[in-house]
Amino acid sequence: MHRAVLPRYLHPFAWWGYALALVAASSLTTNPLLLGGIILAVSVVTLSSRGDSPWGSHFHLYLWLGLFMVVMRIAFRIVFGGGGGPTVLFTIPEIPLPSWVQGVRLFGPVSLESLLTGLYDGMQLAAIVICIGAANSLANPKKLLASLPGAFYELGTVIVVAVSALPQLGESLLRVLRARKLRRGPRTRTRRDRLRFVETIIIPVLSDALERSLALAASMDVRGFGRSERPPPRNRRWSVVTGIASIVLLAVWSFRFVAKTPEISPFGVPLLSTVLMLGGLGCAVVAIRLAGGTVRRTQYRPIRWRAAESGVLASGVLVAVLVALVAAGDSSAVLAPTVVPLEWPTLTPLLAVALVLAVVPAALAPTPERRKVAA
Amino acid sequence: MRADTTIEAAAPEIGVKLGARSWVVIVLSSALGFFALAWPLIIPAVGVAPQHATDAPFVFAAMLPLILLLVGAQLSEGGLDARSLAVLGVMSAMNAALRPVLGVGTAGIESVFFLLILGGRAFGPGFGYLLGFTSMFASALLTAGVGPWLPFQMMCAAWVGLAAGLLPKRVGGKTEIAMLCALGVLAAYAYGMMMNLWFWPFISGTDGGALGSLDYAPGAPLTENLVRFGWFTLITSTGGWDTGRAVTTALALALLGRPVLTVLRRASGMGRVVRTVAPASPSSPNPPEPVGRVGARDGSGGTPATMDA
Amino acid sequence: MIRFENVSFRYRHDTPLRLRDVSFTVEEGELCLVVGATGSGKSTLLGCINNLVPRFTGGTRSGRVIIDGVDTSHLLPRELARTVGYVGQDPMAGFVTDVVEDEVAYSMEQLGYPADEMRRRVEETLDLLGIADLRGRALRKLSGGQQQRVAIASVLATSPRVLVLDEPTSALDPVAAEEVLAIISRLVRDLGTTVVVAEHRMERVIEFADSVLVVGDDVHYGPPQTALLRSPVRPPLVELGVTLGWSPLPLTIRAARRHGSEQRRAWMELPPALGRPETAGPAALTGRAVVVTYGDVVAVAGVDLALHAGEVTALMGRNGSGKSSLLWAMHGAGRIDAGTVTLTDGSGIALVPQTPTDLLYLTTVEAECAAGDRASGRPVGTTLALLNRLVPGIDPASHPRDLSEGQKLAVVLAVELAGNPPVVLLDEPTRGLDYAAKNVLTEIVTTMAAEGRAVLIATHDVEMVAQTCSRVVVMAEGEVVSDGPTRDVLAGSALLAPQVAKVSNPIPVLTVQEYLDAC
């Protein structure tokens, strides 16, 4: 039987899960082919599924930002010492710096290897930025905030208020600017008077905004905001305790992680580190759960988690799993092509499959709904 | 019976109370956050394996959002009433609007500290801390600034707001403004340095292969990395971006600090003005509507005939 | 349904009581109109119904408030959300979300309604208020009337037993106000919701009201006819009825015409001598073929308008007809795409914008006035003295934003007048002003005209125009559709006729005073 796929928004968690899985995959590799493939896949998915929503229109900015990062890294190599490789492409005359500038080299020979290192690292960063940008463009931010656990409800509301207050601020500013033309400046204009001009704009706008925000607070209050019961004191106490425990555990873990403290690792799994990390994460989840309390709010027209959501999330996770498998396997070198000696980056069949999987959501996700807007 | 039905409500104030537990959470999370930023310098360089030096930025970028979520849950849950929430929202929007439309990731903030510092000063450390959070988040949402740098920006901005709230309360007048300006300059440079510190291992690779002269060198002694970072931050931002930010922030605080602070402080007592019509202020014995008197005046002697016409 | 028992309220121990021993009972399904001068405590009283006062505002309240038989004195406003719906003055300021549908659902989300019930109620409420076609629209792109209807919908969605409206039409133009008030009366009739509404356009609701609460030094409650006798502010129709001793007091034009039929017959035989406006002075400001366009939209389509010294001209027309654009173009601060504006005497034009507070940025009235002195190069104290003549009794040390709407207007006007401009333009000064404040404005405007200034007022307020202006210009679609003496333009119009003119029709009597003089 044929089932109609109606236009609708996909659950924001599905898009974020997909994007974060691709971020994880990107962080495992510096292979430019794989990274380029991920960027391409994410762009295809975003452009085909973002709809005409206002938050979707920012995606090109992330692409530019990615490009900027690649260029920055390469430029860095050229300006501050691009040597260090056998294949010198060209040499810019080095500018001698005074001796107290320890270790800094300005210009000089530029090697292919160093440029490639810049390119590879830059592409990795660009891929991460673009993946997050894709999630930002695909997921409906309002629904995302509404889907957050109860503990973040208030902070989420702050953001909702901020986003809807912004256009009002703009209108207020235009009004004040226009009104400003009516009060002539003093005949004798001192510098102080000219500086005052900014004050005459910002003070009315700010006062106006604050007065409005108090009216808003009253309106929220009478419409039941914050009515959900506060968690009982016992929950609150435990929430703080688990929260602190989580931070401490994660702190110890991260220190050990960075400092590379040696430890017993049966079956290749570092025992203490894993326990610390999992304990920290678990405590964090418990703390957030407890802080949410007994919330009795509901969501208007919630987006239900359906097959398309699972599919999108699964394709992202599978990509990450495949890349991780390659990283753990014998051919892990393919993920980090060496620069010295120079070698041509390649893809294994498994990685090619991963790239195909990364594009699948473009076909899976329904087109986003268009709100019927009366003329 | 009458005594039972008398309700006394405290005069409205805007602010976020920080209990002892909230402080513990803030301090611990800040310590961990600082470690997540400054690990390349803090960790005794000897022990770092090259493999982990590449992983570390990603691991921290993944861990910090979780920490911030924890702090956010603990703080707002303590008592964020509708009034503080609405003011927080509107001020975040203003901060987001003050930020240049194309705030590029790590280095886009020019004027964001201005209102952040004044907000923290007027409404206290808890409010300032949360304002830093929400301003950065709102502006990221509005200007395509959501990225791995966002949690670090949020945390650093929250520190600035917190610091503004913690400055000595007694100080007033010119000294107060001077103090805020000093904080503004300090915050501008410190913030720039923090963000550079986060960005440093990313932008200038950690690969042992072909090391640039400003790159983070895993395994090198602390002094060497400190020098490398010092030059990195001096060249990339302290000279230009950060100084620009420091100057604009200090200038804005010096010129607009006093009037804006007055407006903000007034808002704290303004909650009673639910609508636009204000009650009689206690300082003026006149009812707010002296209109009756004008009507009664009846033109006798009230006609302003001497208008230099 | 709503019972107040000896309710008193003050903000602080050292401030006077805002409410003193208020007791009354509003029955179920009543439409209760709350009247009183601005600042008399109307809002405080309304706030007491859902405990915004004192929970949100701070202060001390004694006495009991009983809603639907339950003592609600100790509940928080949010705990009353299901029982009392509250709509404020400016709908835009109270919106939490930015889309119509989400806003209607907001309250139900807070109260934890199940998703399917929420969906059903949203649809019903959208239809009930006739805003279903707006569901996906951005709130700030709606007209004022539509916004206020959304605001009402957003509190009605949870079917509260009581609906409290605090001056719901004060920021709206007459057409939008009519729209909103029609909705309110329909709610009372069809749903039996108990409605308490503070409204200064009393004449629009008074005929639907079952009872009136008069708020002043004391609070009186009673049926409209008797309660209005004690009211300090009354619509012209009631004023006429009270002065002439008509009984029962007429609340509709129809009833008043019955009372006035004899008088009209007398006038038909012997027409009363009605004043004609004095011949105006020379033209002070002349606009020729003024055109203002915004992109494709033509706001002002080639208007010729001359303002004369000593003449008060009203500029009327529905929202979007180009009044404001014309005003700003004539001033020179606004856009002007074609045409010329000539000022006969060179000392400037004053314009007071719609939101006077946009111009106020200092912390005291005194400082604002001093800034006005400096701006116009006058000796220190000129502006303050002028303000004292316009509206005496404003404390120079008070914060401009703490003043009433009428006082704010006066401060801005004083600052603008300090330079002694021969032409004064006012952009909708009557918004948010009650009868008393409008009387002040009338006084000010008359004084300015007597000094030989040309005054132009853009307004919707027919009664104020009838009292103050000698000439009316009506705009539509950017063009002037009628221009003439007030009596000719207003009395002959079906839409713009003031209440008294409707009673005396076909004799063109405009105001209560004229009616009495002609008797």
Side-chain angles (χ1 to χ4, degrees):
Chain A
M1 198 179 77
H2 179 74
R3 281 180 61 193
V5 181
L6 298 176
R8 65 184 185 97
Y9 288 122
L10 210 60
H11 198 288
F13 285 179
W15 283 130
W16 273 98
Y18 162 77
L20 289 178
L22 291 190
V23 167
S26 311
S27 69
L28 289 175
T29 176
T30 52
N31 183 332
L33 291 181
L34 186 57
L35 290 169
I38 288 177
I39 292 175
L40 194 66
V42 158
S43 307
V44 168
V45 171
T46 308
L47 295 178
S48 71
S49 312
R50 68 176 170 176
D52 54 356
S53 50
W55 54 87
S57 58
H58 287 319
F59 185 64
H60 68 278
L61 290 180
Y62 285 95
L63 290 177
W64 281 114
L65 190 56
L67 184 67
F68 169 79
M69 287 178 160
V70 174
V71 170
M72 267 287 278
R73 274 188 103 133
I74 296 177
F76 242 79
R77 302 275 152 168
I78 297 175
V79 177
F80 301 107
T87 328
V88 174
L89 289 178
F90 52 90
T91 306
I92 305 173
E94 188 177 336
I95 297 174
L97 293 175
S99 61
W100 47 268
V101 186
Q102 265 183 351
V104 179
R105 206 184 77 199
L106 217 49
F107 300 114
V110 177
S111 74
L112 177 65
E113 287 79 5
S114 97
L115 287 192
L116 280 181
T117 313
L119 176 71
Y120 291 2
D121 290 352
M123 278 188 77
Q124 186 182 35
L125 198 58
I128 290 171
V129 166
I130 290 169
C131 284
I132 288 181
N136 206 27
S137 313
L138 286 166
N140 181 338
K142 277 190 253 168
K143 292 288 178 189
L144 177 70
L145 288 172
S147 314
L148 288 177
F152 309 114
Y153 182 65
E154 279 148 328
L155 285 181
T157 308
V158 171
I159 301 300
V160 171
V161 169
V163 170
S164 51
L166 200 71
Q168 287 185 30
L169 279 176
E171 277 162 25
S172 180
L173 179 69
L174 288 180
R175 227 183 49 227
V176 171
L177 276 176
R178 196 170 79 145
R180 214 47 253 164
K181 294 185 193 163
L182 301 176
R183 254 175 106 162
R184 289 159 303 169
R187 296 253 164 87
T188 49
R189 279 170 73 99
T190 60
R191 185 183 297 160
R192 170 119 192 100
D193 285 324
R194 251 170 276 148
L195 290 174
R196 265 250 153 119
F197 182 74
V198 186
E199 185 184 335
T200 65
I201 301 298
I202 197 167
I203 296 299
V205 173
L206 184 68
S207 308
D208 205 45
L210 287 173
E211 273 173 21
R212 273 167 174 281
S213 70
L214 291 172
L216 175 66
S219 155
M220 286 168 66
D221 219 1
V222 298
R223 283 159 69 192
F225 173 79
R227 191 164 159 282
S228 53
E229 276 157 22
R230 298 223 170 276
R234 200 163 52 97
N235 275 13
R236 175 150 167 58
R237 212 161 34 236
W238 277 108
S239 153
V240 176
V241 169
T242 46
I244 291 171
S246 163
I247 294 176
V248 171
L249 287 175
L250 287 175
V252 175
W253 170 77
S254 57
F255 184 84
R256 289 174 54 89
F257 172 82
V258 178
K260 182 84 173 154
T261 317
E263 62 174 307
I264 317 150
S265 306
F267 316 111
V269 181
L271 194 61
L272 191 55
S273 285
T274 314
V275 168
L276 282 174
M277 185 180 73
L278 291 180
L281 293 179
C283 280
V285 171
V286 171
I288 288 169
R289 269 284 170 83
L290 286 176
T294 47
V295 181
R296 281 192 280 135
R297 271 177 305 100
T298 44
Q299 195 186 345
Y300 176 61
R301 296 178 87 168
I303 301 178
R304 272 180 295 152
W305 190 277
R306 291 184 237 194
E309 274 85 355
S310 303
V312 167
L313 184 63
S315 70
V317 171
L318 273 178
V319 174
V321 167
L322 285 182
V323 174
L325 275 181
V326 173
D330 297 333
S331 53
S332 65
V334 76
L335 289 178
T338 53
V339 181
V340 189
L342 203 56
E343 81 178 16
W344 190 249
T346 51
L347 286 182
T348 62
L350 215 50
L351 292 179
V353 171
L355 284 181
V356 172
L357 274 173
V359 201
V360 165
L364 272 183
T367 50
E369 71 182 281
R370 284 163 186 264
R371 287 259 173 138
K372 289 169 231 59
V373 174
Chain B
M1 192 64 214
R2 281 290 296 259
D4 285 349
T5 53
T6 300
I7 308 160
E8 285 210 52
E13 262 182 36
I14 296 165
V16 180
K17 281 205 188 77
L18 291 182
R21 294 167 186 158
S22 304
W23 274 114
V24 173
V25 173
I26 288 182
V27 169
L28 282 178
S29 66
S30 298
L32 182 52
F34 185 74
F35 179 65
L37 276 172
W39 62 269
L41 300 178
I42 293 175
I43 285 287
V46 200
V48 184
Q51 171 62 30
H52 275 180
T54 17
D55 284 357
F58 297 109
V59 167
F60 285 124
M63 193 178 70
L64 199 63
L66 185 73
I67 303 295
L68 291 194
L69 285 179
L70 269 178
V71 182
Q74 296 298 340
L75 284 194
S76 63
E77 185 263 347
L80 192 57
D81 62 338
R83 198 189 335 258
S84 302
L85 189 146
V87 173
L88 206 51
V90 168
M91 288 188 70
S92 307
M94 292 197 95
N95 263 339
L98 283 172
R99 205 171 164 188
V101 180
L102 265 180
V104 180
T106 48
I109 310 130
E110 300 303 317
S111 44
V112 111
F113 288 147
F114 161 63
L115 213 51
L116 180 57
I117 288 176
L118 292 176
R121 176 75 184 160
F123 303 134
F127 187 92
Y129 193 84
L130 284 180
L131 184 61
F133 262 42
T134 52
S135 301
M136 285 296 159
F137 194 78
S139 92
L141 215 55
L142 292 165
T143 57
V146 179
W149 53 80
L150 180 60
F152 292 90
Q153 286 181 330
M154 284 167 68
M155 187 178 63
C156 292
W159 286 342
V160 174
L162 185 77
L166 286 176
L167 290 174
K169 282 211 177 58
R170 295 273 174 76
V171 183
K174 289 226 167 93
T175 332
E176 185 183 19
I177 296 300
M179 179 174 77
L180 293 179
C181 286
L183 177 68
V185 171
L186 194 72
Y189 282 114
Y191 180 91
M193 204 139 82
M194 289 290 177
M195 292 321 296
N196 277 336
L197 197 51
W198 171 75
F199 202 48
W200 184 38
F202 278 110
I203 195 71
S204 59
T206 45
D207 209 316
L211 202 61
S213 61
L214 290 185
D215 291 6
Y216 172 54
L222 174 68
T223 43
E224 191 191 329
N225 269 326
L226 210 53
V227 168
R228 283 165 172 267
F229 173 70
W231 284 110
F232 173 81
T233 189
L234 195 68
I235 290 164
T236 52
S237 37
T238 308
W241 235 311
D242 284 353
T243 303
R245 175 164 46 214
V247 168
T248 42
T249 306
L251 209 63
L253 282 171
L255 288 174
L256 301 171
R258 175 56 52 203
V260 171
L261 214 49
T262 314
V263 171
L264 292 179
R265 286 193 172 134
R266 210 175 86 79
S268 208
M270 207 165 57
R272 61 185 44 175
V273 190
V274 181
R275 301 191 305 106
T276 41
V277 177
S281 64
S283 61
S284 72
N286 306 307
E289 282 295 314
V291 286
R293 269 197 264 167
V294 180
R297 194 163 52 98
D298 210 19
S300 57
T303 325
T306 51
M307 286 288 300
D308 298 44
Chain C
M1 193 66 190
I2 306 169
R3 193 157 90 235
F4 273 46
E5 286 181 3
N6 306 99
V7 174
S8 299
F9 173 77
R10 65 171 91 217
Y11 281 119
R12 283 209 313 257
H13 292 296
D14 50 349
T15 55
L17 284 172
R18 299 281 294 162
L19 295 175
R20 186 192 306 275
D21 256 351
V22 177
S23 301
F24 63 87
T25 309
V26 176
E27 298 299 334
E28 179 148 15
E30 254 184 36
L31 173 62
C32 177
L33 180 65
V34 182
V35 300
T38 310
S40 60
K42 266 185 303 185
S43 293
T44 311
L45 185 85
L46 292 184
C48 285
I49 298 178
N50 66 352
N51 293 348
L52 265 185
V53 177
R55 295 292 184 183
F56 190 82
T57 58
T60 310
R61 192 181 87 184
S62 61
R64 299 205 302 164
V65 176
I66 295 155
I67 293 174
D68 206 8
V70 181
D71 187 345
T72 57
S73 308
H74 289 279
L75 297 181
L76 295 172
R78 52 176 173 262
E79 291 167 329
L80 279 167
R82 229 182 264 254
T83 320
V84 183
Y86 182 94
V87 178
Q89 201 171 34
D90 180 2
M92 203 54 222
F95 288 148
V96 185
T97 64
D98 47 7
V99 175
V100 172
E101 211 178 337
D102 297 349
E103 188 64 28
V104 174
Y106 180 80
S107 193
M108 289 188 283
E109 289 185 329
Q110 304 309 310
L111 299 175
Y113 280 63
D116 44 353
E117 189 187 350
M118 200 168 352
R119 188 70 202 275
R120 178 176 63 76
R121 278 173 178 266
V122 167
E123 298 302 328
E124 281 176 7
T125 315
L126 289 176
D127 278 338
L128 186 67
L129 292 175
I131 48 175
D133 54 334
L134 306 176
R135 64 186 317 153
R137 294 272 294 273
L139 287 167
R140 70 195 170 88
K141 300 229 169 108
L142 302 180
S143 72
Q146 291 171 328
Q147 286 178 349
Q148 195 57 280
R149 276 194 288 168
V150 174
I152 294 175
S154 69
V155 300
L156 273 186
T158 54
S159 346
R161 313 291 304 274
V162 178
L163 185 60
V164 177
L165 300 134
D166 192 359
E167 308 217 343
T169 68
S170 70
L172 307 180
D173 66 79
V175 182
E178 201 80 34
E179 217 174 83
V180 169
L181 294 174
I183 288 283
I184 293 171
S185 59
R186 201 178 122 207
L187 292 175
V188 177
R189 277 201 317 269
D190 294 359
L191 299 183
T193 314
T194 310
V195 176
V196 182
V197 55
E199 175 61 56
H200 62 249
R201 277 177 225 255
M202 265 184 273
E203 61 271 16
R204 310 284 191 194
V205 251
I206 193 79
E207 55 178 306
F208 309 115
D210 300 294
S211 57
V212 169
L213 258 174
V214 180
V215 184
D217 291 336
D218 293 308
V219 174
H220 302 286
Y221 171 83
Q225 266 95 348
T226 51
L228 278 179
L229 289 174
R230 295 165 178 267
S231 169
V233 286
R234 290 188 279 242
L237 192 66
V238 176
E239 189 72 52
L240 192 67
V242 170
T243 323
L244 292 176
W246 288 345
S247 175
L249 203 60
L251 299 180
T252 60
I253 300 290
R254 204 161 53 133
R257 275 185 76 84
R258 255 180 250 142
H259 284 293
S261 57
E262 241 169 76
Q263 181 67 55
R264 276 201 312 278
R265 238 171 280 136
W267 280 340
M268 289 299 267
E269 279 161 26
L270 183 70
L274 296 170
R276 303 293 303 174
E278 299 153 29
T279 41
L285 183 70
T286 319
R288 287 207 190 289
V290 175
V291 175
V292 181
T293 56
Y294 302 99
D296 296 338
V297 184
V298 179
V300 180
V303 167
D304 294 315
L305 183 66
L307 301 179
H308 303 278
E311 185 185 47
V312 183
T313 309
L315 185 59
M316 305 188 76
R318 63 181 82 88
N319 273 3
S321 59
K323 298 192 301 287
S324 222
S325 300
L326 179 62
L327 223 61
W328 285 81
M330 296 280 281
H331 177 271
R335 217 185 137 85
I336 180 161
D337 294 287
T340 54
V341 178
T342 345
L343 183 64
T344 313
D345 175 21
S347 56
I349 306 172
L351 196 163
V352 177
Q354 243 177 49
T355 327
T357 40
D358 287 349
L359 283 174
L360 303 174
Y361 63 97
L362 296 168
T363 47
T364 62
V365 172
E366 203 170 11
E368 288 286 355
C369 289
D373 290 336
R374 262 188 313 147
S376 54
R378 303 263 144 182
V380 177
T382 317
T383 311
L384 196 58
L386 184 62
L387 176 64
N388 262 322
R389 278 205 298 273
L390 290 178
V391 178
I394 296 179
D395 181 4
S398 59
H399 197 287
R401 281 181 181 262
D402 281 337
L403 302 177
S404 74
E405 294 298 315
Q407 290 172 323
K408 286 177 195 164
L409 186 73
V411 171
V412 171
L413 203 53
V415 170
E416 297 261 319
L417 285 180
N420 196 25
V423 180
V424 180
L425 311 174
L426 300 165
D427 195 357
E428 302 219 14
T430 51
R431 265 196 192 197
L433 299 191
D434 63 1
Y435 288 104
K438 279 177 202 165
N439 286 339
V440 182
L441 185 67
T442 303
E443 189 95 359
I444 295 174
V445 167
T446 315
T447 314
M448 289 194 299
E451 290 160 10
R453 294 178 213 279
V455 183
L456 180 66
I457 310 175
T459 181
H460 292 292
D461 195 313
V462 180
E463 304 296 340
M464 147 115 193
V465 171
Q467 270 190 16
T468 321
C469 304
S470 49
R471 175 182 163 205
V472 175
V473 176
V474 183
M475 283 184 79
E477 307 269 297
E479 291 166 347
V480 171
V481 290
S482 61
D483 180 356
T486 306
R487 197 178 307 284
D488 300 355
V489 176
L490 290 194
S493 153
L495 201 66
L496 296 177
Q499 281 193 315
V500 175
K502 282 179 183 159
V503 174
S504 69
N505 186 35
I507 311 295
V509 178
L510 294 181
T511 62
V512 175
Q513 196 55 47
E514 276 184 358
Y515 194 103
L516 297 178
D517 291 347
C519 271

